[in-house]
Amino acid sequence: MVIRTLDLGGDKLRPEDNVPVEMNPFLGWRAIRFCLEEKALFRTQLRAILRASAPGNVKMMYPMIRAG
């Protein structure tokens, strides 16, 4: 199973997020950048994924990150 981590940003924002206006919000503060700023939220995700992996292998996908 592959679990994709949270990808808030661009057009998907929470009402409580005070996000500055960006020239291109689809390339700015979102996905992993958002998660690294919101550490408590990211930690909760990672714990849930760890619990889900108890019965077997789980892979994680981080949006907006590309390989090499």
Side-chain angles (χ1 to χ4, degrees):
M1 172 186 339
V2 177
I3 299 176
R4 178 181 167 138
T5 59
L6 187 65
D7 183 15
L8 286 179
D11 62 340
K12 300 172 287 210
L13 295 171
R14 301 178 303 173
E16 62 269 18
D17 291 330
N18 295 319
V19 179
V21 176
E22 300 179 75
M23 286 183 63
N24 187 344
F26 290 92
L27 295 175
W29 190 63
R30 62 176 297 177
I32 195 66
R33 290 179 185 147
F34 176 86
C35 288
L36 292 175
E37 288 280 327
E38 300 289 332
K39 289 182 175 59
L41 180 68
F42 195 38
R43 192 173 296 123
T44 300
Q45 281 185 82
L46 297 177
R47 284 187 185 135
I49 293 169
L50 181 61
R51 283 193 301 270
S53 71
N57 291 336
V58 169
K59 296 179 182 181
M60 291 176 45
M61 185 177 95
Y62 301 96
M64 303 298 291
I65 297 179
R66 68 179 185 98

